[in-house]
Amino acid sequence: MVDSWERARHVLEAAGLDPGHLAHLAPLTGGTYNTVEELRLTDGTRYVLKIPPAAATPGLRHERRLLVSEAEFYRSAAHAEVPAPRLVTMGDDFLLMTACPGTPWDGSLTGTEETALRTELGRQTARLHRVTGPGFGYPSGALGPLAPDWRTAFTTMFDAVLDDARRYRAWLPRPVDTVARTARSAYGALDEVTVPCLVHFDLWRGNIMVDRTAGDARIGGLIDGERMFWGDPLADFVSLALLGDIEQDEAFLAGYREAGGQAGFDVPARLRLALYRAYLYLIMLTETIPREVGEEQERRVRDRVGPELVAALDEIDDLLPGSPQPRR
């Protein structure tokens, strides 16, 4: 087993930093896939080091080479001038980035602070969505090369997680084939997306740092960009309102539109949102198996996420009344 300090010194040296200046090394919690460590140098500079699991570790199909996607997100965020970690260096088995100030968004904010931060988050997300890519899909190549159109990319992504659900025999509130049929009935709405935009796809509050060092609460950085893909900006609204409804987040939508983001909710947009919700909730239900989260956590995920997946599928049926899928 590689010693953590020895590995950290090797990474610092690869980054052109003096490994002898490493003063502190500690694991960071909250992630469920990569090993994450904080490195602090003698001058107080902080970095974050990510190490992927061994290649033989069970996971979902899209999770291969996640650090490639994460590095792409940080490069893109820097281009968009959105606060996020900055890529320092990376290799096949590590990624070193700067640390963002603050702590993950929690329930300690006042109502006024919450409104101000959600508005600012809307502006930042709109800036992210102005960054475009060379094609659609995961830049990691985990599911193949980037696709020329969004329908091809997203249906490949959706089919991959359905295959994962079958392979791991994951519990779903409806049979896998029923989920697949319902999703297919809405795929025509994907053709409205013609520009591959930067999508973080994991912007729940735990991945948004809140910094108070200057007094007022502000967003210190958007972290954990490993799930990013090039696709429909609307897909980011799912994790931004995790297990909820983005249309209720008036402050976020006001900031998003103020910064030029397009946030309409006509029938094609609602169909796409339902597809993206279904995709994320399938991931959340399926990943509990290879993660070996334990019976209690698996039950909690089922109880909380299962009804949301059903609601997303039912919305597709409601928006497409001619759809043949029966509700079960």
Side-chain angles (χ1 to χ4, degrees), residues 63-321:
E63 290 179 324
R64 293 191 295 271
R65 304 180 74 232
L66 282 179
L67 296 187
V68 173
S69 295
E70 183 156 10
E72 185 65 52
F73 175 77
Y74 297 142
R75 283 190 288 261
S76 298
H79 178 74
E81 298 184 342
V82 168
R86 295 298 179 250
L87 178 65
V88 178
T89 189
M90 68 178 299
D92 292 337
D93 58 352
F94 70 87
L95 185 151
L96 184 69
M97 69 198 90
T98 59
C100 288
T103 57
W105 192 319
D106 59 21
S108 65
L109 297 172
T110 66
T112 300
E113 289 175 328
E114 183 97 9
T115 297
L117 284 180
R118 294 303 293 183
T119 303
E120 179 56 27
L121 179 62
R123 297 189 194 102
Q124 292 182 7
T125 304
R127 290 202 294 272
L128 286 178
H129 290 167
R130 288 201 289 267
V131 181
T132 59
F136 293 92
Y138 288 108
S140 65
L143 301 180
L146 295 176
D149 64 90
W150 179 227
R151 188 198 285 229
T152 298
F154 183 75
T155 56
T156 298
M157 293 158 62
F158 204 92
D159 286 346
V161 75
L162 289 176
D163 287 345
D164 288 326
R166 294 185 183 97
R167 177 162 51 105
Y168 288 117
R169 298 181 180 180
W171 176 90
L172 298 180
R174 289 184 180 166
V176 174
D177 290 345
T178 300
V179 174
R181 285 196 302 272
T182 301
R184 279 198 299 271
S185 70
Y187 283 166
L190 299 170
D191 293 335
E192 294 209 348
V193 181
T194 58
V195 178
C197 297
L198 177 67
V199 178
H200 184 289
F201 205 59
D202 201 13
L203 283 175
W204 70 292
R205 296 186 178 214
N207 285 338
I208 302 169
M209 304 296 282
V210 177
D211 178 31
R212 293 182 179 275
T213 54
D216 293 337
R218 65 180 184 87
I219 295 177
L222 308 181
I223 65 172
D224 283 352
E226 62 194 19
R227 307 286 171 173
M228 74 79 63
F229 54 77
W230 300 112
D232 183 357
L234 209 61
D236 258 339
F237 289 2
V238 178
S239 60
L240 283 159
L242 188 62
L243 304 173
D245 181 1
I246 194 65
E247 289 189 70
Q248 304 304 312
D249 194 342
E250 295 179 0
F252 170 84
L253 290 174
Y256 187 78
R257 289 167 174 144
E258 177 188 317
Q262 301 298 309
F265 297 100
D266 58 10
V267 169
R270 290 179 188 278
L271 283 169
R272 299 201 309 275
L273 266 176
L275 284 171
Y276 308 148
R277 285 158 51 209
Y279 179 60
L280 179 59
Y281 301 150
L282 283 168
I283 290 172
M284 293 173 70
L285 288 165
T286 302
E287 69 184 4
T288 61
I289 309 304
R291 299 281 195 281
E292 298 181 341
V293 300
E295 251 181 61
E296 185 176 346
Q297 176 62 11
E298 190 175 336
R299 178 184 55 79
R300 283 199 293 265
V301 173
R302 287 183 182 186
D303 291 347
R304 190 69 185 90
V305 179
E308 296 297 334
L309 175 55
V310 170
L313 298 172
D314 283 351
E315 183 164 4
I316 291 173
D317 285 342
D318 291 341
L319 291 168
L320 295 173

